[in-house]
Amino acid sequence: MLKRVTLGRTSPKRISLKRTTLTGILAGISFFCLQDIAFASIRQVSLETARASSVSVTVQEASGLSIDFTKSGERIYKVWLDDPSKLTVDFDGPLESGAQVIHLRRITGLSFENLPSGNSTLLTVVTRSGGASNVYYFDIGYGSTDTTGIAILPTSSIALTDALEPADTEPVELEMVRLGLQDAIANNVISSTSPVIERVNQFLTASTTGTAQRIAASEAELPWEVITRLAVRGRNASVLNALTEV
């Protein structure tokens, strides 16, 4: 049927209608794919990075954050939370025998006599592995975030995870991701003030300078699914633009 349709027989009104219909279909698909884009994700942090400097994390109200040392082989024996007025701290096991997961949960602010409270705090974690002790520092802030977990992994494990991804997560076209982001913002699928925009731009910059795409996405705290959906949206937008230029 498509082969029998010629530009000469298609009125401007029908072209406009087709364009409106196609735009609506793509917008609907993208809406369900990208609305509430800040869904749960696990941020991977290498042991080397965590040991070299403090790790900044955000804990969201009515949600929690887990810090996972299970893949690093280390066990947690001591934890200090400088300001306990806004967080509770729990573990997957007793510290006496060594825990491996820390869970932080937001609570309604409490007041402790002679203990000042602020908009952020410091979590200090002491672990042991093979007779050696290591100290990790986590700068805790409060606000909106899509990160529900921090996984502390050897750098080799992060690289291996990237290398063993199945074929359906092959590298994406960065230009399509960029175009998809622009289109999502233009159609109000992503708010112009969403932190996702900065994270996607961080991903694009890192990928352009040679960082493996899945590692770049992890470092930007973006689920890989967000990247692939933006790439699909970019391709759809390119097709739509090509049709309207005919």
Side-chain angles (χ1 to χ4, degrees):
M1 295 263 322
L2 290 176
K3 291 183 179 180
R4 282 184 269 176
V5 175
T6 64
L7 290 176
R9 296 178 182 176
T10 303
S11 68
K13 185 175 182 179
R14 288 185 65 185
I15 292 176
S16 177
L17 180 60
K18 288 180 180 179
R19 176 183 176 182
T20 301
T21 302
L22 182 57
T23 302
I25 291 172
L26 294 180
I29 293 173
S30 297
F31 177 79
F32 287 109
C33 288
L34 289 173
Q35 75 163 342
D36 298 326
I37 197 167
F39 48 77
S41 66
I42 305 299
R43 176 184 171 193
Q44 295 181 338
V45 178
S46 71
L47 280 171
E48 291 78 0
T49 298
R51 290 174 183 173
S53 60
S54 61
V55 178
S56 296
V57 298
T58 301
V59 181
Q60 183 167 276
E61 191 170 352
S63 183
L65 180 93
S66 295
I67 303 175
D68 183 1
F69 283 86
T70 57
K71 297 296 192 301
S72 73
E74 296 176 281
R75 290 194 170 274
I76 304 159
Y77 286 90
K78 189 70 176 178
V79 167
W80 291 284
L81 179 64
D82 290 349
D83 179 7
S85 66
K86 298 182 179 66
L87 295 171
T88 61
V89 185
D90 199 4
F91 309 92
D92 66 329
L95 293 181
E96 291 77 9
S97 56
Q100 289 191 292
V101 179
I102 303 170
H103 184 71
L104 304 173
R105 181 181 298 172
R106 283 293 308 273
I107 58 174
T108 302
L110 302 177
S111 178
F112 294 92
E113 187 177 358
N114 299 322
L115 182 64
S117 178
N119 296 323
S120 62
T121 189
L122 179 69
L123 177 73
T124 304
V125 180
V126 181
T127 68
R128 294 179 196 163
S129 177
S133 296
N134 292 292
V135 181
Y136 297 88
Y137 302 97
F138 297 90
D139 292 319
I140 309 295
Y142 314 108
S144 178
T145 179
D146 61 348
T147 300
T148 57
I150 306 291
I152 307 298
L153 301 173
T155 300
S156 57
S157 295
I158 297 178
L160 183 61
T161 299
D162 181 74
L164 294 180
E165 285 301 322
D168 62 351
T169 55
E170 291 177 353
V172 296
E173 296 180 65
L174 297 180
E175 185 56 35
M176 292 300 100
V177 175
R178 186 177 289 105
L179 181 58
L181 178 63
Q182 293 173 354
D183 188 73
I185 295 171
N187 288 281
N188 297 317
V189 176
I190 299 177
S191 167
S192 60
T193 59
S194 172
V196 172
I197 297 173
E198 181 179 351
R199 294 179 184 180
V200 173
N201 286 328
Q202 178 184 336
F203 161 79
L204 291 170
T205 299
S207 298
T208 302
T209 56
T211 302
Q213 289 185 2
R214 288 192 62 86
I215 293 179
S218 177
E219 291 177 346
E221 300 182 42
L222 282 171
W224 182 248
E225 189 178 11
V226 171
I227 300 299
T228 57
R229 286 177 174 175
L230 286 174
V232 169
R233 187 182 183 93
R235 286 194 294 272
N236 289 340
S238 296
V239 172
L240 180 59
N241 291 337
L243 288 175
T244 57
E245 291 173 359
V246 175

